Amino acid sequence: MSIQPTASAGYLSKTNIRAIAFDVFALAFIYMVPTISHMLSIKLYLLEPMRLMLIFALVHTRRPNAYVLALTLPFFSYFISAHPVLVKSLLIAIELSVMVFVFYFLVERMHKLAAIFISIWASKLLYYGLKYIAIITVLPAEPLVGTPLLLQLATSAAFSLYVLWQFRRNGS
């Protein structure tokens, strides 16, 4: 009598276990950002922790996992801390998902540094367009730009350089 592997045996592959572990880490990190911010008296959200976790996912896990995090991190943050508000959580989920899509679309067509930087800013432009619509309809007290643009440019440059460094390190 031979034992046949089941279809679910491949589900817990090393790659999937790594992605699940990464997701648990990312969710725990997002969960702890408000506490760490309060303890350090630093507004860590200005450093875009959700985008940081997504950048790590782009580099260290597979494409489907990046989409899962892009769609879930903002809502997870909303459900555990009520921040950002639900409408902004939806906008951030759209923004992060678009970033993943644009990155994977461009990465095969141009230099990796340009692909990640363009994907970040294309998604930001979409976010600000959608946020403007939200401001004139449902979020009138919300400022259009909450994080200084120079700080956003600096984080975008740092994230892009990290992606480039990781791709070169991995020979991709």
Side-chain angles (χ1 to χ4, degrees):
M1 208 160 116
S2 67
I3 298 175
Q4 297 295 322
T6 63
S8 64
Y11 179 74
L12 289 179
S13 68
K14 184 177 179 180
T15 302
N16 288 341
I17 290 171
R18 183 175 165 183
I20 290 167
F22 181 86
D23 291 354
V24 169
F25 169 77
L27 291 171
F29 177 76
I30 294 303
Y31 180 78
M32 295 301 296
V33 164
T35 303
I36 295 167
S37 292
H38 180 70
M39 287 173 34
L40 299 176
S41 297
I42 298 172
K43 297 177 182 176
L44 290 177
Y45 69 87
L46 294 173
L47 300 177
E48 301 186 80
M50 287 186 217
R51 188 177 315 277
L52 175 63
M53 291 296 103
L54 189 57
I55 293 292
F56 288 158
L58 285 172
V59 173
H60 300 290
T61 69
R62 296 182 358 213
R63 182 184 310 207
N65 194 57
Y67 279 112
V68 166
L69 285 177
L71 291 168
T72 58
L73 284 177
F75 295 111
F76 178 79
S77 180
Y78 170 76
F79 287 122
I80 62 154
S81 68
H83 182 77
V85 297
L86 187 57
V87 172
K88 280 182 63 179
S89 293
L90 175 63
L91 297 180
I92 293 168
I94 292 168
E95 173 191 10
L96 295 177
S97 298
V98 166
M99 186 187 98
V100 173
F101 175 80
V102 172
F103 173 72
Y104 281 116
F105 177 79
L106 293 177
V107 76
E108 299 298 325
R109 293 166 175 80
M110 63 176 50
H111 193 274
K112 289 164 180 56
L113 181 65
I116 189 62
F117 193 81
I118 290 169
S119 70
I120 291 170
W121 279 91
S123 66
K124 282 180 180 287
L125 290 173
L126 175 65
Y127 170 79
Y128 284 121
L130 293 173
K131 188 175 179 186
Y132 178 76
I133 293 168
I135 288 170
I136 61 176
T137 58
V138 294
L139 295 172
E142 185 76 26
L144 181 60
V145 179
T147 302
L149 291 175
L150 282 176
L151 183 55
Q152 291 185 54
L153 183 61
T155 57
S156 298
F159 296 160
S160 298
L161 289 171
Y162 178 77
V163 169
L164 177 64
W165 175 63
Q166 284 298 313
F167 274 116
R168 283 190 175 168
R169 189 170 159 242
N170 296 332
S172 302

PDB file of all heavy atoms in Angstrom, residues 149-169:
ATOM      1  N   LEU A 149       6.208  66.237   1.240  1.00  0.00           N
ATOM      2  CA  LEU A 149       6.616  65.625  -0.030  1.00  0.00           C
ATOM      3  C   LEU A 149       8.112  65.309  -0.075  1.00  0.00           C
ATOM      4  O   LEU A 149       8.512  64.302  -0.659  1.00  0.00           O
ATOM      5  CB  LEU A 149       6.208  66.500  -1.208  1.00  0.00           C
ATOM      6  CG  LEU A 149       4.697  66.575  -1.458  1.00  0.00           C
ATOM      7  CD1 LEU A 149       4.380  67.565  -2.573  1.00  0.00           C
ATOM      8  CD2 LEU A 149       4.126  65.206  -1.782  1.00  0.00           C
ATOM      9  N   LEU A 150       8.940  66.160   0.553  1.00  0.00           N
ATOM     10  CA  LEU A 150      10.380  65.868   0.573  1.00  0.00           C
ATOM     11  C   LEU A 150      10.676  64.597   1.365  1.00  0.00           C
ATOM     12  O   LEU A 150      11.554  63.817   0.982  1.00  0.00           O
ATOM     13  CB  LEU A 150      11.174  67.047   1.143  1.00  0.00           C
ATOM     14  CG  LEU A 150      11.382  68.208   0.173  1.00  0.00           C
ATOM     15  CD1 LEU A 150      12.106  69.358   0.873  1.00  0.00           C
ATOM     16  CD2 LEU A 150      12.161  67.762  -1.053  1.00  0.00           C
ATOM     17  N   LEU A 151       9.955  64.381   2.444  1.00  0.00           N
ATOM     18  CA  LEU A 151      10.121  63.147   3.208  1.00  0.00           C
ATOM     19  C   LEU A 151       9.650  61.947   2.376  1.00  0.00           C
ATOM     20  O   LEU A 151      10.290  60.892   2.370  1.00  0.00           O
ATOM     21  CB  LEU A 151       9.352  63.212   4.525  1.00  0.00           C
ATOM     22  CG  LEU A 151       9.500  62.008   5.443  1.00  0.00           C
ATOM     23  CD1 LEU A 151      10.959  61.706   5.764  1.00  0.00           C
ATOM     24  CD2 LEU A 151       8.697  62.213   6.718  1.00  0.00           C
ATOM     25  N   GLN A 152       8.563  62.113   1.636  1.00  0.00           N
ATOM     26  CA  GLN A 152       8.091  61.042   0.755  1.00  0.00           C
ATOM     27  C   GLN A 152       9.123  60.746  -0.333  1.00  0.00           C
ATOM     28  O   GLN A 152       9.350  59.585  -0.688  1.00  0.00           O
ATOM     29  CB  GLN A 152       6.755  61.420   0.117  1.00  0.00           C
ATOM     30  CG  GLN A 152       5.608  61.456   1.099  1.00  0.00           C
ATOM     31  CD  GLN A 152       4.301  61.724   0.394  1.00  0.00           C
ATOM     32  OE1 GLN A 152       3.945  61.016  -0.549  1.00  0.00           O
ATOM     33  NE2 GLN A 152       3.583  62.740   0.848  1.00  0.00           N
ATOM     34  N   LEU A 153       9.731  61.780  -0.863  1.00  0.00           N
ATOM     35  CA  LEU A 153      10.777  61.592  -1.877  1.00  0.00           C
ATOM     36  C   LEU A 153      11.969  60.844  -1.277  1.00  0.00           C
ATOM     37  O   LEU A 153      12.507  59.921  -1.904  1.00  0.00           O
ATOM     38  CB  LEU A 153      11.217  62.949  -2.438  1.00  0.00           C
ATOM     39  CG  LEU A 153      12.247  62.927  -3.543  1.00  0.00           C
ATOM     40  CD1 LEU A 153      11.726  62.176  -4.770  1.00  0.00           C
ATOM     41  CD2 LEU A 153      12.641  64.340  -3.922  1.00  0.00           C
ATOM     42  N   ALA A 154      12.343  61.203  -0.055  1.00  0.00           N
ATOM     43  CA  ALA A 154      13.474  60.536   0.601  1.00  0.00           C
ATOM     44  C   ALA A 154      13.166  59.068   0.871  1.00  0.00           C
ATOM     45  O   ALA A 154      14.016  58.199   0.615  1.00  0.00           O
ATOM     46  CB  ALA A 154      13.821  61.267   1.900  1.00  0.00           C
ATOM     47  N   THR A 155      11.970  58.768   1.386  1.00  0.00           N
ATOM     48  CA  THR A 155      11.642  57.364   1.638  1.00  0.00           C
ATOM     49  C   THR A 155      11.548  56.590   0.329  1.00  0.00           C
ATOM     50  O   THR A 155      11.985  55.441   0.255  1.00  0.00           O
ATOM     51  CB  THR A 155      10.342  57.203   2.459  1.00  0.00           C
ATOM     52  OG1 THR A 155       9.269  57.840   1.774  1.00  0.00           O
ATOM     53  CG2 THR A 155      10.489  57.761   3.862  1.00  0.00           C
ATOM     54  N   SER A 156      11.010  57.214  -0.699  1.00  0.00           N
ATOM     55  CA  SER A 156      10.923  56.555  -2.006  1.00  0.00           C
ATOM     56  C   SER A 156      12.312  56.227  -2.542  1.00  0.00           C
ATOM     57  O   SER A 156      12.540  55.138  -3.083  1.00  0.00           O
ATOM     58  CB  SER A 156      10.182  57.434  -3.012  1.00  0.00           C
ATOM     59  OG  SER A 156       8.869  57.677  -2.605  1.00  0.00           O
ATOM     60  N   ALA A 157      13.234  57.163  -2.401  1.00  0.00           N
ATOM     61  CA  ALA A 157      14.607  56.930  -2.850  1.00  0.00           C
ATOM     62  C   ALA A 157      15.253  55.801  -2.034  1.00  0.00           C
ATOM     63  O   ALA A 157      15.899  54.912  -2.604  1.00  0.00           O
ATOM     64  CB  ALA A 157      15.423  58.212  -2.737  1.00  0.00           C
ATOM     65  N   ALA A 158      15.059  55.822  -0.718  1.00  0.00           N
ATOM     66  CA  ALA A 158      15.641  54.770   0.130  1.00  0.00           C
ATOM     67  C   ALA A 158      15.047  53.407  -0.217  1.00  0.00           C
ATOM     68  O   ALA A 158      15.783  52.419  -0.344  1.00  0.00           O
ATOM     69  CB  ALA A 158      15.400  55.102   1.605  1.00  0.00           C
ATOM     70  N   PHE A 159      13.731  53.336  -0.369  1.00  0.00           N
ATOM     71  CA  PHE A 159      13.087  52.068  -0.724  1.00  0.00           C
ATOM     72  C   PHE A 159      13.584  51.577  -2.080  1.00  0.00           C
ATOM     73  O   PHE A 159      13.842  50.388  -2.266  1.00  0.00           O
ATOM     74  CB  PHE A 159      11.564  52.211  -0.756  1.00  0.00           C
ATOM     75  CG  PHE A 159      10.929  52.541   0.576  1.00  0.00           C
ATOM     76  CD1 PHE A 159       9.672  53.099   0.613  1.00  0.00           C
ATOM     77  CD2 PHE A 159      11.569  52.291   1.781  1.00  0.00           C
ATOM     78  CE1 PHE A 159       9.055  53.402   1.824  1.00  0.00           C
ATOM     79  CE2 PHE A 159      10.959  52.588   2.996  1.00  0.00           C
ATOM     80  CZ  PHE A 159       9.705  53.150   3.021  1.00  0.00           C
ATOM     81  N   SER A 160      13.722  52.489  -3.030  1.00  0.00           N
ATOM     82  CA  SER A 160      14.162  52.116  -4.375  1.00  0.00           C
ATOM     83  C   SER A 160      15.588  51.593  -4.356  1.00  0.00           C
ATOM     84  O   SER A 160      15.903  50.598  -5.026  1.00  0.00           O
ATOM     85  CB  SER A 160      14.051  53.319  -5.319  1.00  0.00           C
ATOM     86  OG  SER A 160      12.710  53.729  -5.428  1.00  0.00           O
ATOM     87  N   LEU A 161      16.453  52.246  -3.597  1.00  0.00           N
ATOM     88  CA  LEU A 161      17.836  51.788  -3.498  1.00  0.00           C
ATOM     89  C   LEU A 161      17.908  50.422  -2.820  1.00  0.00           C
ATOM     90  O   LEU A 161      18.730  49.577  -3.204  1.00  0.00           O
ATOM     91  CB  LEU A 161      18.688  52.814  -2.756  1.00  0.00           C
ATOM     92  CG  LEU A 161      18.958  54.103  -3.534  1.00  0.00           C
ATOM     93  CD1 LEU A 161      19.628  55.142  -2.645  1.00  0.00           C
ATOM     94  CD2 LEU A 161      19.789  53.829  -4.780  1.00  0.00           C
ATOM     95  N   TYR A 162      17.055  50.182  -1.831  1.00  0.00           N
ATOM     96  CA  TYR A 162      17.020  48.880  -1.181  1.00  0.00           C
ATOM     97  C   TYR A 162      16.625  47.790  -2.186  1.00  0.00           C
ATOM     98  O   TYR A 162      17.244  46.721  -2.238  1.00  0.00           O
ATOM     99  CB  TYR A 162      16.043  48.878   0.006  1.00  0.00           C
ATOM    100  CG  TYR A 162      15.942  47.528   0.659  1.00  0.00           C
ATOM    101  CD1 TYR A 162      16.941  47.078   1.512  1.00  0.00           C
ATOM    102  CD2 TYR A 162      14.874  46.675   0.390  1.00  0.00           C
ATOM    103  CE1 TYR A 162      16.880  45.823   2.098  1.00  0.00           C
ATOM    104  CE2 TYR A 162      14.798  45.415   0.966  1.00  0.00           C
ATOM    105  CZ  TYR A 162      15.798  45.001   1.823  1.00  0.00           C
ATOM    106  OH  TYR A 162      15.735  43.766   2.380  1.00  0.00           O
ATOM    107  N   VAL A 163      15.596  48.063  -2.988  1.00  0.00           N
ATOM    108  CA  VAL A 163      15.160  47.086  -4.000  1.00  0.00           C
ATOM    109  C   VAL A 163      16.293  46.812  -4.976  1.00  0.00           C
ATOM    110  O   VAL A 163      16.586  45.654  -5.283  1.00  0.00           O
ATOM    111  CB  VAL A 163      13.886  47.579  -4.721  1.00  0.00           C
ATOM    112  CG1 VAL A 163      13.585  46.731  -5.945  1.00  0.00           C
ATOM    113  CG2 VAL A 163      12.699  47.586  -3.766  1.00  0.00           C
ATOM    114  N   LEU A 164      16.942  47.860  -5.465  1.00  0.00           N
ATOM    115  CA  LEU A 164      18.055  47.687  -6.393  1.00  0.00           C
ATOM    116  C   LEU A 164      19.167  46.858  -5.743  1.00  0.00           C
ATOM    117  O   LEU A 164      19.680  45.910  -6.349  1.00  0.00           O
ATOM    118  CB  LEU A 164      18.605  49.040  -6.829  1.00  0.00           C
ATOM    119  CG  LEU A 164      19.818  48.990  -7.755  1.00  0.00           C
ATOM    120  CD1 LEU A 164      19.457  48.336  -9.085  1.00  0.00           C
ATOM    121  CD2 LEU A 164      20.377  50.385  -7.964  1.00  0.00           C
ATOM    122  N   TRP A 165      19.529  47.180  -4.519  1.00  0.00           N
ATOM    123  CA  TRP A 165      20.581  46.462  -3.806  1.00  0.00           C
ATOM    124  C   TRP A 165      20.221  44.987  -3.656  1.00  0.00           C
ATOM    125  O   TRP A 165      21.060  44.109  -3.892  1.00  0.00           O
ATOM    126  CB  TRP A 165      20.815  47.117  -2.452  1.00  0.00           C
ATOM    127  CG  TRP A 165      21.788  46.386  -1.581  1.00  0.00           C
ATOM    128  CD1 TRP A 165      23.117  46.161  -1.837  1.00  0.00           C
ATOM    129  CD2 TRP A 165      21.516  45.775  -0.329  1.00  0.00           C
ATOM    130  NE1 TRP A 165      23.686  45.446  -0.797  1.00  0.00           N
ATOM    131  CE2 TRP A 165      22.712  45.205   0.141  1.00  0.00           C
ATOM    132  CE3 TRP A 165      20.381  45.662   0.455  1.00  0.00           C
ATOM    133  CZ2 TRP A 165      22.798  44.520   1.345  1.00  0.00           C
ATOM    134  CZ3 TRP A 165      20.472  44.994   1.673  1.00  0.00           C
ATOM    135  CH2 TRP A 165      21.673  44.435   2.095  1.00  0.00           C
ATOM    136  N   GLN A 166      18.984  44.700  -3.298  1.00  0.00           N
ATOM    137  CA  GLN A 166      18.570  43.312  -3.104  1.00  0.00           C
ATOM    138  C   GLN A 166      18.557  42.529  -4.421  1.00  0.00           C
ATOM    139  O   GLN A 166      18.981  41.384  -4.470  1.00  0.00           O
ATOM    140  CB  GLN A 166      17.184  43.233  -2.431  1.00  0.00           C
ATOM    141  CG  GLN A 166      17.234  43.531  -0.966  1.00  0.00           C
ATOM    142  CD  GLN A 166      18.086  42.522  -0.204  1.00  0.00           C
ATOM    143  OE1 GLN A 166      17.973  41.314  -0.381  1.00  0.00           O
ATOM    144  NE2 GLN A 166      18.968  43.026   0.637  1.00  0.00           N
ATOM    145  N   PHE A 167      18.090  43.161  -5.504  1.00  0.00           N
ATOM    146  CA  PHE A 167      18.087  42.480  -6.793  1.00  0.00           C
ATOM    147  C   PHE A 167      19.525  42.209  -7.255  1.00  0.00           C
ATOM    148  O   PHE A 167      19.807  41.135  -7.789  1.00  0.00           O
ATOM    149  CB  PHE A 167      17.330  43.280  -7.851  1.00  0.00           C
ATOM    150  CG  PHE A 167      15.854  43.013  -7.851  1.00  0.00           C
ATOM    151  CD1 PHE A 167      14.954  44.019  -7.544  1.00  0.00           C
ATOM    152  CD2 PHE A 167      15.356  41.759  -8.167  1.00  0.00           C
ATOM    153  CE1 PHE A 167      13.588  43.764  -7.554  1.00  0.00           C
ATOM    154  CE2 PHE A 167      13.993  41.500  -8.172  1.00  0.00           C
ATOM    155  CZ  PHE A 167      13.109  42.502  -7.867  1.00  0.00           C
ATOM    156  N   ARG A 168      20.407  43.159  -7.058  1.00  0.00           N
ATOM    157  CA  ARG A 168      21.805  42.939  -7.452  1.00  0.00           C
ATOM    158  C   ARG A 168      22.449  41.857  -6.591  1.00  0.00           C
ATOM    159  O   ARG A 168      23.195  41.021  -7.085  1.00  0.00           O
ATOM    160  CB  ARG A 168      22.603  44.234  -7.336  1.00  0.00           C
ATOM    161  CG  ARG A 168      22.326  45.167  -8.472  1.00  0.00           C
ATOM    162  CD  ARG A 168      23.270  46.319  -8.480  1.00  0.00           C
ATOM    163  NE  ARG A 168      23.037  47.123  -9.658  1.00  0.00           N
ATOM    164  CZ  ARG A 168      23.537  48.321  -9.839  1.00  0.00           C
ATOM    165  NH1 ARG A 168      24.313  48.876  -8.915  1.00  0.00           N
ATOM    166  NH2 ARG A 168      23.282  48.984 -10.936  1.00  0.00           N
ATOM    167  N   ARG A 169      22.125  41.871  -5.309  1.00  0.00           N
ATOM    168  CA  ARG A 169      22.670  40.884  -4.370  1.00  0.00           C
ATOM    169  C   ARG A 169      22.203  39.476  -4.726  1.00  0.00           C
ATOM    170  O   ARG A 169      22.955  38.522  -4.606  1.00  0.00           O
ATOM    171  CB  ARG A 169      22.212  41.258  -2.965  1.00  0.00           C
ATOM    172  CG  ARG A 169      22.848  40.486  -1.886  1.00  0.00           C
ATOM    173  CD  ARG A 169      22.500  41.122  -0.527  1.00  0.00           C
ATOM    174  NE  ARG A 169      22.700  40.121   0.479  1.00  0.00           N
ATOM    175  CZ  ARG A 169      21.774  39.630   1.265  1.00  0.00           C
ATOM    176  NH1 ARG A 169      20.549  40.078   1.183  1.00  0.00           N
ATOM    177  NH2 ARG A 169      22.056  38.719   2.134  1.00  0.00           N
TER     178      ARG A 169
END
